[in-house]
Amino acid sequence: MTELSLEITRAIPHPPEKVFDAWLDPEMLAKFMLPGPNMSVPEAYSDAKVGGRFKIIMRAPEAGDLPHEGEYKVIDRPNRLQFTWNSPYSQDDSTVTLDFTPTDKGTELRLHHIRFPSEESRDNHEGGWTRILETLEGAL
């Protein structure tokens, strides 16, 4: 296990409740969980309760279907969402925490992802999460 982590903060011009709810809605997840160009989400599922699970199939032109899944650990609407993150490029105990802070212009969204198997994995996730947050803003 490594203690490699990443943190990304993005201002999103929508209220925290709307930004928060997008992370638990399978239809919205399919619209913004797109970490790379020409990717799609043919399947998204969310059992939005603490202890519930989610599954997102990300389809990449060169890599095929990439399953991402995890368990909700904290659901504190609209302040904090925390879930485990398992994918072909992460380790089993990887965890993502999202903090939603209201601002005059909407929401400051802070994404903190911990535990990666390598620096390369962390760096790739940083690029993917950055693109996902950009896409989220456009999808709302």
Side-chain angles (χ1 to χ4, degrees), residues 24-117:
L24 300 177
D25 179 350
E27 288 183 26
M28 285 301 296
L29 290 168
K31 292 180 181 176
F32 74 85
M33 291 298 278
L34 305 169
N38 303 315
M39 291 186 72
S40 63
V41 173
E43 180 183 336
Y45 166 81
S46 171
D47 182 15
K49 62 185 180 190
V50 174
R53 298 192 62 79
F54 69 89
K55 183 173 184 178
I56 303 163
I57 304 294
M58 298 177 186
R59 182 169 290 159
E62 305 83 26
D65 287 354
L66 305 169
H68 293 71
E69 55 191 315
E71 178 182 326
Y72 296 108
K73 296 295 189 182
V74 176
I75 299 178
D76 178 17
R77 183 181 190 265
N79 305 303
R80 175 172 274 192
L81 179 63
Q82 184 180 70
F83 47 86
T84 60
W85 183 256
N86 300 315
S87 76
Y89 306 107
S90 66
Q91 60 186 60
D92 288 345
D93 57 351
S94 187
T95 303
V96 176
T97 302
L98 301 168
D99 289 305
F100 306 80
T101 303
T103 67
D104 291 343
K105 296 181 180 179
T107 302
E108 179 183 279
L109 175 57
R110 175 184 164 266
L111 183 150
H112 188 209
H113 189 165
I114 60 170
R115 297 190 192 102
F116 294 93

Side-chain angles (χ1 to χ4, degrees), residues 110-138:
R110 175 184 164 266
L111 183 150
H112 188 209
H113 189 165
I114 60 170
R115 297 190 192 102
F116 294 93
S118 67
E119 289 185 15
E120 180 183 10
S121 174
R122 180 202 50 205
D123 294 347
N124 288 340
H125 275 85
E126 186 166 15
W129 283 124
T130 298
R131 188 175 179 100
I132 284 170
L133 296 186
E134 290 170 0
T135 306
L136 169 63
E137 182 178 339

